[in-house]
Amino acid sequence: MTNHSETTGSSENGDISRAAEQEQEQEQERPDGAMPESPADEHQVTLRTPAELADALPYLLGYRPEDSIVLAALRDRDGRGRFGGRARLGIPASPDDWAAAAGQLVHGLVTGSERRGVRPEQMVAYLCQEPRPGETGREVMERLRPLAQKLRLECGALDIPVVEALCISGGRFWSYCCDEEACCPADGLPVGLPGTSVLAAAATYAGIQVRGSLTELRVRLLPREHAAAAEQAAALDAAATRVVSRILDAGGRAEVAEETLETAERIMRRLAGAPPASGVPAEDLRDDQLLGHDEAAALILGLQDRTTRDRAAAWMEGAEAAPAMRLWRALARRCVAPYGEHAAAPLTLAGWVAWSTGDELEAREALAMALGADPDYLFARLLHQACNEGLDPESIRRCLREGREGGHGAGDTIADGDGHGAAVEVAGEPALPSSAAPPGRRRRRRSPASPPGVRRRTRAGGHRPGTGTVPPRTAPGAGHPGVPRTGRTRPHAPAKPVTGREDARPEGAGTGERRSHGGREHP
């Protein structure tokens, strides 16, 4: 199956309101399925209509999905339906892949929920896709109807009814479960303006933010395609001549590591001392202007040494985390063609810092993009799996702290979804644990002449004289697809779980027939 969008992460459970002071905390369910008590529990939002469900979607995920299938699990608590896990998957371009995508998403969400001790009892499904040129929103709805039916059949096969299925397209929404003209007209209903609903007001009061679209997030990590790209490519070519051959030499490797880390620290101080900018685009432009082409090239090449990369990963918390994140984003934007594969290192570091500081949305996107740049980049694969499994990054942070104090690379143990340990030596990068290894993927063989932690890279056009190694083979525009080509996809969850309550239990659940919404409450 081909999925052109980003991978999903594991389901996560939480209520739909959050006290502002708890914004950075991830709420986990107890084994009995009950939520931990918090001051936010007193805030409740009841959703009764499809319009309210459509309005709730960005707050369930923490962003506005594009070209997406989204499933939201419901569970019964105190006689009311509450949202549980959420899962997102890109809509495959070919209808032939829809059945596989539906099965993958449903089974992934159910399995992840069961692993956490809370099996979904009902589902709400969303299909989000903008009209193609010359197409109307209603035509999108009709075109995607077979996909909605496949989702309902997959859920029904697991005895989990889909109590509502919505299509959101062109600023309007339609229900696949209701054909009453008074309730759900054939032309659909307009989606409310962002920030104008009762739920939006409650979310704002609770400190919940919707971060726009995934496209806007990815732009911060994609190489810049402008006139300066040629200058950056030339700087990378020159750095390859100077740096890579030294990395492949045992004595020069330690010198390059120290130079790389000193340069990174100097630039981080420069970024931290820069004046503030208004808005994300302005912030990124400011950071780009503070980073020279030669500096960026030296850092990108130096970080290809895994031990150096692991030492840089220790800048993950406190006052160091924010400037480190800005630096890794800026370096990812400098990995212009044909150096797209080199972006795996700064993207993985960006994903790690984001996950370590609680931003799971950007963490998953950065790690997915790292795997898109280099599917065999093991550090990204291990972190991506751990993040998707909802594991606590503290064990890795502790290991990196110890490694930093000892002045060497880090190693740690990441528990898999069943609670068993899977050895992860960050610096040495051992064989992928069986619990994480995707089917059909084999590790790339490393030349015996290469020192540990260094990967040789080749360009299809041949060797560049005098470098000892060569720039990457990545074709222009091919370095950053949104989905890792690993052969497996996990359900996606929001970067920060939307914590609050959606209090309503749908009536007539489990029947599967089309129905009018009437005045009933919807989950």
Side-chain angles (χ1 to χ4, degrees), residues 190-214:
V191 177
L193 293 175
T196 60
S197 67
V198 173
L199 178 59
T204 301
Y205 176 77
I208 299 172
Q209 295 181 351
V210 176
R211 298 181 54 183
S213 68
L214 293 182

Side-chain angles (χ1 to χ4, degrees), residues 164-244:
E164 184 57 274
L166 298 176
C167 177
I168 302 175
S169 180
R172 304 181 75 83
F173 70 89
W174 291 260
S175 171
Y176 290 112
C177 297
C178 175
D179 55 7
E180 291 292 332
E181 186 69 19
C183 180
C184 298
D187 290 333
L189 292 171
V191 177
L193 293 175
T196 60
S197 67
V198 173
L199 178 59
T204 301
Y205 176 77
I208 299 172
Q209 295 181 351
V210 176
R211 298 181 54 183
S213 68
L214 293 182
T215 298
E216 294 169 345
L217 188 152
R218 291 194 193 109
V219 165
R220 308 193 72 184
L221 302 169
L222 286 170
R224 296 291 191 251
E225 299 295 337
H226 47 53
E231 298 177 15
Q232 185 61 67
L236 285 162
D237 286 344
T241 302
R242 297 190 311 269
V243 175
V244 178

Side-chain angles (χ1 to χ4, degrees), residues 223 232 236 288-289 291-293 296 300 330-336:
Q232 185 61 67
L236 285 162
D288 288 339
Q289 293 172 341
L291 179 62
H293 294 309
I300 290 169
L331 291 180
R333 295 193 293 267
R334 297 300 184 93
C335 291
V336 298

Side-chain angles (χ1 to χ4, degrees), residues 96-468:
D96 294 338
D97 292 332
W98 288 355
Q104 182 181 30
L105 193 63
V106 171
H107 287 270
L109 177 56
V110 172
T111 299
S113 298
E114 289 177 338
R115 185 181 297 126
R116 291 164 177 78
V118 185
R119 189 177 193 274
E121 297 173 359
Q122 300 164 339
M123 292 281 192
V124 175
Y126 300 85
L127 299 179
C128 307
Q129 190 174 77
E130 288 305 296
R132 300 167 179 170
E135 188 178 36
T136 66
R138 181 175 179 179
E139 289 170 339
V140 173
M141 181 271 293
E142 293 295 348
R143 177 167 54 80
L144 297 180
R145 186 182 292 277
L147 176 55
Q149 184 62 17
K150 293 181 188 302
L151 288 169
R152 298 175 74 181
L153 290 174
E154 288 288 343
C155 290
L158 298 176
D159 198 26
I160 303 174
V162 175
V163 296
E164 184 57 274
L166 298 176
C167 177
I168 302 175
S169 180
R172 304 181 75 83
F173 70 89
W174 291 260
S175 171
Y176 290 112
C177 297
C178 175
D179 55 7
E180 291 292 332
E181 186 69 19
C183 180
C184 298
D187 290 333
L189 292 171
V191 177
L193 293 175
T196 60
S197 67
V198 173
L199 178 59
T204 301
Y205 176 77
I208 299 172
Q209 295 181 351
V210 176
R211 298 181 54 183
S213 68
L214 293 182
T215 298
E216 294 169 345
L217 188 152
R218 291 194 193 109
V219 165
R220 308 193 72 184
L221 302 169
L222 286 170
R224 296 291 191 251
E225 299 295 337
H226 47 53
E231 298 177 15
Q232 185 61 67
L236 285 162
D237 286 344
T241 302
R242 297 190 311 269
V243 175
V244 178
S245 59
R246 295 175 61 199
I247 293 179
L248 295 175
D249 176 74
R253 184 184 180 201
E255 295 177 358
V256 171
E258 294 304 321
E259 293 169 4
T260 300
L261 295 171
E262 289 174 3
T263 300
E265 289 180 321
R266 182 175 69 252
I267 296 173
M268 285 168 56
R269 290 193 295 270
R270 187 186 306 165
L271 294 174
S278 177
V280 168
E283 291 174 356
D284 290 343
L285 178 61
R286 172 202 59 197
D287 293 347
D288 288 339
Q289 293 172 341
L290 292 172
L291 179 62
H293 294 309
D294 291 338
E295 292 173 323
L299 288 175
I300 290 169
L301 270 296
L303 290 172
Q304 303 310 303
D305 172 54
R306 292 186 177 83
T307 302
T308 306
R309 177 208 64 197
D310 297 341
R311 291 173 63 184
W315 298 322
M316 60 191 170
E317 55 191 345
E320 294 175 329
M325 187 69 184
R326 290 164 59 187
L327 176 58
W328 307 144
R329 288 195 195 110
L331 291 180
R333 295 193 293 267
R334 297 300 184 93
C335 291
V336 298
Y339 289 85
E341 192 179 48
H342 286 65
L347 285 170
T348 300
L349 289 170
W352 161 240
V353 175
W355 184 34
S356 182
T357 55
D359 188 349
E360 294 186 16
L361 175 58
E362 184 161 6
R364 288 193 180 93
E365 290 308 306
L367 293 170
M369 292 172 69
L371 290 169
D374 184 350
D376 293 327
Y377 205 74
L378 185 55
F379 191 29
R381 293 170 70 189
L382 294 171
L383 289 177
H384 193 251
Q385 181 195 2
C387 183
N388 283 347
E389 292 290 345
L391 303 182
D392 187 350
E394 176 56 30
S395 59
I396 306 177
R397 283 196 296 261
R398 183 170 58 251
C399 176
L400 287 169
R401 294 187 200 107
E402 294 171 355
R404 185 175 186 175
E405 293 170 0
H408 51 75
D412 197 31
T413 297
I414 297 179
D416 62 25
D418 298 323
H420 302 296
V424 178
E425 186 184 341
V426 179
E429 295 207 352
L432 191 65
S434 59
S435 63
R441 176 71 61 187
R442 298 183 63 183
R443 296 189 69 205
R444 195 180 301 173
R445 292 184 180 273
R446 183 181 294 132
S447 168
S450 300
V454 179
R455 173 175 299 174
R456 291 183 180 272
R457 300 180 184 273
T458 59
R459 176 187 279 175
H463 183 79
R464 184 176 297 277
T467 63

